Amino acid sequence: MEGLLTQFTPTPSKLVSALHEHLTPVDRSNQPHDDRNLIFDGPEDVLSVLHSQPDLQSLTKCLKWLRSNITGLNEFDIRLPGAEAAKIINVLVNDIIPSYWHVWIGSESHSYNRQRKLLLRCLTSIAGIGALVTRLRSLNPETGEAQATIKTRLEQAPTAQLTDDLVNFLEALLERDNVVDNIWTTIYINPVISIRKELLWKELASLLAGGRLLSAVAEAQDRHRSTDPIDKQSSWLGSGQFYSAWLGRNILFMIIHGEDNFTRKHKDAARLLSKALTLGYTDQVVKGVLSSVIAGENQHLEKLRVSLYNLASHEQKNVLYTVIRLITERDCSITEKSGFVGGVAALIEVLVTEKTHLHEALVDWLTGNYTNGFSIGIHSRRAVLAALSSHLDLVKTALQKLLHDFGDKLYIKHTPMMQQEGNTQTLLLVTGHVFISDPDYVRSLVRASVYINAISNRLAASSPRSQFFGMAVGSAVSNLVDPPDKRMCFNMEGTSKDEMIKYQQLTEIYDSVGSLEELKMTAPQMGAKLPKIMTKGFQKVIGTTSKAPSATASKILSIQELSDDSTSEDDSLLVYDRVDFDEEEEEEEDEDPTLVQRNKSTAPVYIRDLIAGLNDTNNYDRQRLALLASPTLIRRKVHFGTEVSSHLEALATALVGLSDKYAMDNFQSLRLQGMIAVLVASPLKMGQWFSTTCFHGEYSLSQRLSILTTLSLGAREIAGYAAEDATLTGATLEPLFPSQKLPGKYHSIYAHDSVAPVTALASQLERTLIAPMAASAADTLAGPAALRVRTFSSRMAVDAKRKKPLANALATVVADGFFFPLARLWSLQPRVRGPHNPFTHPALLSHFLKTLALILHAAGPSAPALPALTAEFFALLLSLRTAALAAPPVLEALLFGLLTLLELNAQRQQALAEDCARELLETQTWVEGVFERIGGGSAEGERARGLAAGVLVRVRECVEKWEAVIRGDVGGFM
């Protein structure tokens, strides 16, 4: 036995050695990592995984590692500026958000909610928000750029989806009122970036308060409304009013959470407020910052006051005037309450304490020199006057200015009466205040020339209203300074007398400064809500857990005192909602791990995962999720690098060969949508691929029919008919009202039309082509044109209904990508397949002819290759005359093709007569025989006769008009 066994020593052969020399290392950077062995030694490892299109588990580990660094467990912090942090943020914004965010916001899974929160926390920084805004701006086309080009139209849909995802992400990121405070804390607590703190805060102020974020979102929304004005919800980030209110609340949060010794945070908050006032929404910003003060709360009033003093002088005046206007623009039932004026005066006095320029600003406001304070209301003027009552010299100055304006002739003649009325009321109020404090000053002023001239000019005015104001001031002041027997009196009757009495009573009003408690008792509830215009995705983000804010509203932080029985150590502390992105994650970690399903199928986010899911015939959930995600994912990724373009053929092969193994709902519709998305992604390349696959592939009859349907519907979508064909492909299925639905199983049988999309389109197009001819025939039989009644429409109504012309993207690729490959491959089938040619089947042949006709119609009469297409299609149709007579479906399709062909060439009949003279005469003769042979009575016969009549009308128009050209051309060949 030993001799039968010999020792074997493996030695490399020359062939193997030669092959090894030609082997090249494979780059596995784009291959998915095994998440079970992921260990991160630094940000470089995280960046490598993020670049490799990670799956959900790998991405979660990356985000957890980045989050652990934020909490201080490692040295690297993604929120701090740096080269590695910028690279990671760039990948998260440009790769991860477009791939995963739309999946996360479309699901209510707790695990998805945890991953959303991890991603949000990683991008809560200046660099993160800046990267999101930059990416959003890059999706906006330049101003004035033509939008009707082929490329822009094909890119609109994926760009719109990506824009929605970015806006949804920004909404979720900035929803809370402590975002700015968290970013400030990150900047100033970390000592690594102490030198660049000032520059970073300026960048954040420019980003949020400078309008960069607001303008980017608003521009994106405006572009969406211009391209598709239907069913476009707005975002609160693009609304100046709601965005400014949110920014004001964030500034308030910074101020009240600053130290009591007025540290750097208050100065930075004032700088941010100064920048926010330039947005153009001053009322909303001030209302957000001073919401607690306007509501009567005073525990943080000192912090707010000191922060406002860090503003420039003109900005302090602007804020002061806005506060007065906001606090007095309330319901009359509130302003009439006792103590309201005193409470407002107390607030104004606190805000202007120790600031001379603010006291002077109140005088300007009271006299109407800086802003039109007269139009606000008398209660606000009473409050301002009460706040100035301790500064008698300023009140006297206001009295002199008011009296000067009251008697000025130009003022009386040209100033609106509303402003003169306010001037008169304020003059009487101020006069009463001064008289109580210094009666002698008022008596001396009454005897001065300025007062006498003012009353004289008023009484001499041409306007009765101006005269009335002069009489009201004269009598009211006379009642103050003159004895009863010498008082000025005017005989008034009716309503004028009652109004005179009201004006005289103004000098008797004397308001004193009250307390903020009085303002609190008269103030309404200051709670407000976020707008209900948030996008659907954002509602899902914040509405997935019970602890999150409501999906339709989010309360503004309201400052309220704690009750006496509170367990807090300090009654001045406020209660705020817990702000923790990891709260849901902690709850998930406490769950029983034995109950968690680890192998649950998830929707694909990458093309490679989509292909694998479509080919996985043994996993129903995975294949169903892949089929559902295929149309949207392909369209999203079309212009997102080369991920789609490098896998187009693999995607098309998987979709074409997919069988309904599990009897899924809407299987054919979803499969068709995916195939159309692949075709639209690269029309020229995939049009040729689908044409070749239809004839050379080993597929069933139904699969070949689906390929032809894909070519026809895809061509129409490229040409701009996607909205019209959406119901045929199942892209938009509007839900029916319950009373319109059949019960139970009958709905699934009878709810949807069983007509194929191509057949439905052909029938619709038949009616469109035949309707003008029928109308023309009816007009001919109606009698002379002079006896007809016409309805004329205005030019504006006609222009409103007229569609704007768009460039036909199909016209340039229809010949080489669709029509010629189909027609020429079909002509080769008799020689290749012989008598077993499946394309002679009536169902397939009629479908094929309708597909060619629909493609040709979608290309339109402006297609550059229309003459060549016409000659090719004419020859193909006439070659099938014998087969059409034996099969009614083929006959109907052939007549439809002829009608479409003649309709497209209606504007070039001379060229058609010159190039296709013999074909026109043969068509006329053959169709006349068909029309006589077809009998009526059946639906198919009536449709065929209608199509034959339409073809005859078009052919005879051309033949009769260009008879000489046609007969000369034909005679030359005889």
Side-chain angles (χ1 to χ4, degrees):
M1 292 298 292
E2 294 180 358
L4 297 177
L5 299 176
T6 58
Q7 184 178 1
F8 174 74
T9 303
T11 57
S13 63
K14 294 181 180 181
L15 178 60
V16 175
S17 300
L19 289 175
H20 278 289
E21 294 178 359
H22 296 282
L23 294 178
T24 57
V26 177
D27 184 13
R28 297 185 179 273
S29 59
N30 291 329
Q31 299 297 326
H33 287 262
D34 186 3
D35 61 284
R36 294 172 297 181
N37 301 320
L38 281 180
I39 298 176
F40 302 113
D41 297 328
E44 297 83 1
D45 298 337
V46 175
L47 186 62
S48 175
V49 175
L50 292 177
H51 271 304
S52 64
Q53 298 182 352
D55 56 11
L56 191 59
Q57 290 76 16
S58 301
L59 176 61
T60 303
K61 288 199 171 184
C62 293
L63 295 177
K64 285 184 176 180
W65 188 87
L66 294 174
R67 190 261 308 167
S68 64
N69 295 340
I70 292 176
T71 57
L73 299 180
N74 294 290
E75 297 181 357
F76 175 77
D77 192 343
I78 192 175
R79 301 173 302 173
L80 305 181
E84 296 297 333
K87 293 178 182 178
I88 295 176
I89 289 175
N90 182 66
V91 177
L92 292 177
V93 172
N94 295 323
D95 295 344
I96 302 303
I97 292 179
S99 299
Y100 281 95
W101 188 253
H102 70 284
V103 179
W104 290 348
I105 64 176
S107 173
E108 298 183 358
S109 172
H110 291 292
S111 60
Y112 284 170
N113 185 41
R114 181 174 67 252
Q115 289 143 2
R116 283 195 298 263
K117 293 179 182 296
L118 288 173
L119 183 58
L120 287 170
R121 188 167 188 183
C122 291
L123 292 178
T124 307
S125 62
I126 299 176
I129 300 175
L132 290 167
V133 173
T134 302
R135 179 57 175 158
L136 192 62
R137 283 192 175 277
S138 67
L139 300 176
N140 296 333
E142 297 181 1
T143 304
E145 185 179 355
Q147 300 296 322
T149 60
I150 297 174
K151 184 176 181 181
T152 53
R153 178 128 51 83
L154 294 178
E155 289 180 356
Q156 281 178 0
T159 302
Q161 294 170 355
L162 180 56
T163 302
D164 289 341
D165 288 345
L166 292 175
V167 173
N168 286 335
F169 187 88
L170 281 169
E171 285 179 339
L173 185 68
L174 302 176
E175 182 263 337
R176 297 180 181 273
D177 293 341
N178 65 336
V179 175
V180 177
D181 184 74
N182 290 340
I183 296 177
W184 185 92
T185 304
T186 303
I187 295 174
Y188 281 91
I189 288 183
N190 199 298
V192 179
I193 56 173
S194 57
I195 301 177
R196 292 174 286 179
K197 292 177 181 178
E198 190 79 13
L199 296 176
L200 287 174
W201 188 249
K202 287 182 179 180
E203 175 66 18
L204 181 64
S206 175
L207 191 63
L208 297 181
R212 288 166 55 187
L213 173 60
L214 175 63
S215 62
V217 177
E219 185 179 356
Q221 291 182 175
D222 185 67
R223 188 183 77 254
H224 283 278
R225 281 191 291 266
S226 62
T227 56
D228 186 9
I230 302 176
D231 193 21
K232 285 294 180 184
Q233 295 178 325
S234 300
S235 167
W236 64 270
L237 288 176
S239 173
Q241 296 182 355
F242 296 115
Y243 178 82
S244 300
W246 167 85
L247 188 58
R249 296 195 301 273
N250 273 266
I251 297 174
L252 171 64
F253 194 94
M254 280 190 64
I255 294 174
I256 64 179
H257 284 79
E259 300 295 334
D260 292 335
N261 55 355
F262 312 117
T263 56
R264 181 58 181 254
K265 180 180 283 191
H266 296 91
K267 295 181 180 179
D268 289 338
R271 183 183 302 176
L272 188 62
L273 175 60
S274 175
K275 196 75 172 178
L277 293 175
T278 63
L279 286 174
Y281 300 91
T282 305
D283 288 4
Q284 284 72 25
V285 173
V286 175
K287 187 183 295 185
V289 174
L290 299 178
S291 58
S292 62
V293 175
I294 296 176
E297 303 289 346
N298 58 4
Q299 57 263 48
H300 297 289
L301 183 59
E302 187 65 19
K303 292 182 180 180
L304 290 167
R305 185 176 65 85
V306 174
S307 298
L308 293 178
Y309 287 170
N310 287 317
L311 298 174
S313 298
H314 68 280
E315 293 171 345
Q316 294 179 23
K317 294 180 181 179
N318 192 11
V319 172
L320 179 61
Y321 295 156
T322 305
V323 170
I324 296 173
R325 181 172 63 255
L326 292 176
I327 205 170
T328 54
E329 285 182 348
R330 293 181 177 176
D331 190 82
C332 295
S333 60
I334 298 175
T335 56
E336 294 292 341
K337 289 182 179 180
S338 176
F340 176 77
V341 174
V344 177
L347 174 60
I348 296 174
E349 186 180 47
V350 171
L351 293 178
V352 301
T353 302
E354 302 176 358
K355 292 295 178 179
T356 305
H357 67 281
L358 292 181
H359 287 93
E360 296 174 353
L362 289 179
V363 174
D364 292 337
W365 184 89
L366 197 60
T367 57
N369 293 334
Y370 190 79
T371 59
N372 190 10
F374 301 136
S375 62
I376 294 180
I378 194 171
H379 295 89
S380 60
R381 283 170 269 158
R382 288 172 54 187
V384 173
L385 187 58
L388 289 173
S389 58
S390 59
H391 301 274
L392 186 60
D393 53 341
L394 294 177
V395 179
K396 291 180 180 180
T397 302
L399 177 60
Q400 294 175 0
K401 291 182 179 181
L402 290 168
L403 187 59
H404 177 270
D405 292 340
F406 180 77
D408 186 70
K409 292 183 178 180
L410 293 177
Y411 184 89
I412 296 173
K413 186 176 182 179
H414 298 288
T415 304
M417 282 300 162
M418 180 180 292
Q419 190 168 347
Q420 292 189 37
E421 181 181 357
N423 176 275
T424 304
Q425 295 173 356
T426 308
L427 176 61
L428 294 176
L429 287 173
V430 175
T431 302
H433 270 71
V434 176
F435 183 79
I436 293 176
S437 302
D438 192 353
D440 296 335
Y441 178 81
V442 176
R443 293 190 179 96
S444 62
L445 185 64
V446 170
R447 296 181 177 87
S449 60
V450 61
Y451 176 78
I452 297 174
N453 291 334
I455 299 298
S456 300
N457 292 337
R458 282 286 174 174
L459 296 178
S462 59
S463 173
R465 191 64 177 170
S466 298
Q467 296 176 2
F468 172 79
F469 292 150
M471 290 186 287
V473 172
S475 61
V477 176
S478 178
N479 291 338
L480 288 177
V481 300
D482 295 335
D485 57 337
K486 296 183 178 181
R487 292 175 181 174
M488 186 180 299
C489 181
F490 298 93
N491 292 326
M492 311 288 294
E493 295 181 357
T495 56
S496 298
K497 182 178 180 181
D498 297 336
E499 189 177 5
M500 177 72 73
I501 295 175
K502 292 181 179 179
Y503 273 87
Q504 292 174 356
Q505 292 174 351
L506 292 178
T507 57
E508 301 174 2
I509 297 177
Y510 185 85
D511 298 300
S512 59
V513 179
S515 64
L516 290 177
E517 294 297 328
E518 297 174 347
L519 180 62
K520 181 179 180 181
M521 289 186 295
T522 58
Q525 181 65 28
M526 293 302 297
K529 295 182 179 181
L530 283 177
K532 295 184 180 181
I533 57 174
M534 296 179 295
T535 54
K536 183 177 180 181
F538 177 58
Q539 294 176 3
K540 290 184 178 180
V541 170
I542 65 175
T544 52
T545 61
S546 59
K547 292 187 178 182
S550 173
T552 57
S554 176
K555 292 184 179 179
I556 293 177
L557 298 178
S558 179
I559 302 177
Q560 300 177 354
E561 289 186 358
L562 297 177
S563 58
D564 295 335
D565 55 348
S566 176
T567 57
S568 176
E569 297 178 0
D570 189 353
D571 290 343
S572 63
L573 295 178
L574 304 178
V575 178
Y576 290 89
D577 293 337
R578 179 185 177 188
V579 181
D580 188 3
F581 283 110
D582 299 329
E583 57 186 4
E584 186 66 26
E585 179 183 358
E586 295 174 358
E587 295 179 2
E588 290 291 330
E589 291 178 354
D590 295 337
E591 293 182 357
D592 187 358
T594 60
L595 302 178
V596 179
Q597 184 178 357
R598 301 294 180 183
N599 298 326
K600 184 178 180 180
S601 299
T602 58
V605 295
Y606 299 110
I607 298 299
R608 69 159 191 266
D609 299 332
L610 176 61
I611 297 173
L614 293 174
N615 293 327
D616 191 357
T617 58
N618 297 324
N619 191 331
Y620 166 79
D621 292 332
R622 187 182 183 189
Q623 190 178 58
R624 178 176 174 275
L625 289 173
L627 192 60
L628 289 171
S630 59
T632 305
L633 184 59
I634 294 171
R635 295 179 187 275
R636 291 174 60 89
K637 298 278 188 174
V638 167
H639 305 287
F640 193 70
T642 61
E643 189 176 358
V644 172
S645 59
S646 59
H647 297 86
L648 280 174
E649 295 184 2
L651 275 172
T653 303
L655 287 168
V656 171
L658 194 62
S659 60
D660 193 7
K661 177 181 178 180
Y662 299 102
M664 299 181 187
D665 295 335
N666 300 325
F667 173 82
Q668 296 296 340
S669 175
L670 293 172
R671 177 168 162 266
L672 181 61
Q673 293 178 39
M675 294 167 65
I676 293 175
V678 173
L679 177 62
V680 174
S682 181
L684 181 60
K685 175 183 176 182
M686 296 312 298
Q688 296 173 353
W689 187 91
F690 275 111
S691 301
T692 305
T693 303
C694 181
F695 290 98
H696 292 168
E698 296 297 332
Y699 295 106
S700 63
L701 179 63
S702 62
Q703 289 174 328
R704 296 184 196 275
L705 291 175
S706 65
I707 294 176
L708 294 175
T709 303
T710 300
L711 287 169
S712 58
L713 295 181
R716 287 177 58 84
E717 180 174 341
I718 297 170
Y721 297 97
E724 300 178 10
D725 301 343
T727 55
L728 297 176
T729 60
T732 55
L733 293 176
E734 298 181 358
L736 296 175
F737 195 73
S739 61
Q740 297 176 335
K741 295 175 63 176
L742 294 173
K745 62 180 181 179
Y746 299 105
H747 177 75
S748 60
I749 300 174
Y750 299 103
H752 303 291
D753 193 356
S754 59
V755 180
V758 172
T759 305
L761 283 175
S763 301
Q764 180 181 354
L765 189 55
E766 288 173 12
R767 293 189 294 269
T768 304
L769 298 179
I770 295 176
M773 293 184 282
S776 178
D779 289 343
T780 304
L781 298 175
L787 300 179
R788 300 172 193 165
V789 179
R790 295 185 57 190
T791 302
F792 293 92
S793 301
S794 63
R795 181 177 59 84
M796 298 181 62
V798 174
D799 293 340
K801 295 180 180 179
R802 184 179 298 147
K803 294 182 179 180
K804 295 181 179 180
L806 295 174
N808 194 332
L810 180 65
T812 57
V813 297
V814 63
D816 297 332
F818 291 84
F819 194 88
F820 287 145
L822 281 173
R824 291 170 183 175
L825 287 171
W826 179 86
S827 62
L828 294 176
Q829 296 309 304
R831 287 179 288 177
V832 174
R833 299 181 181 269
H836 304 288
N837 184 11
F839 291 92
T840 58
H841 191 280
L844 187 56
L845 183 56
S846 62
H847 203 86
F848 170 72
L849 293 177
K850 290 180 181 180
T851 298
L852 290 179
L854 290 174
I855 292 174
L856 193 61
H857 178 267
S862 60
L866 183 59
L869 296 173
T870 300
E872 184 81 15
F873 199 26
F874 237 143
L876 189 149
L877 291 173
L878 293 179
S879 67
L880 294 173
R881 286 175 289 183
T882 303
L885 295 176
V890 179
L891 177 61
E892 183 180 344
L894 191 147
L895 292 173
F896 172 69
L898 288 172
L899 182 60
T900 304
L901 187 63
L902 294 171
E903 187 69 25
L904 287 177
N905 290 273
Q907 303 300 326
R908 51 182 302 272
Q909 289 183 351
Q910 182 179 1
L912 182 64
E914 294 174 354
D915 300 337
C916 304
R918 183 180 297 274
E919 287 82 354
L920 286 172
L921 294 177
E922 291 181 3
T923 300
Q924 182 179 4
T925 304
W926 181 75
V927 175
E928 288 176 350
V930 170
F931 185 77
E932 296 175 356
R933 186 181 299 111
I934 299 177
S938 63
E940 293 181 357
E942 292 298 333
R943 283 199 303 269
R945 285 176 62 85
L947 288 172
V951 173
L952 280 177
V953 171
R954 291 304 184 197
V955 170
R956 286 173 179 174
E957 286 179 359
C958 183
V959 171
E960 292 174 359
K961 187 175 183 179
W962 304 98
E963 184 177 2
V965 176
I966 293 174
R967 294 194 180 278
D969 192 4
V970 175
F973 286 97
M974 289 183 177

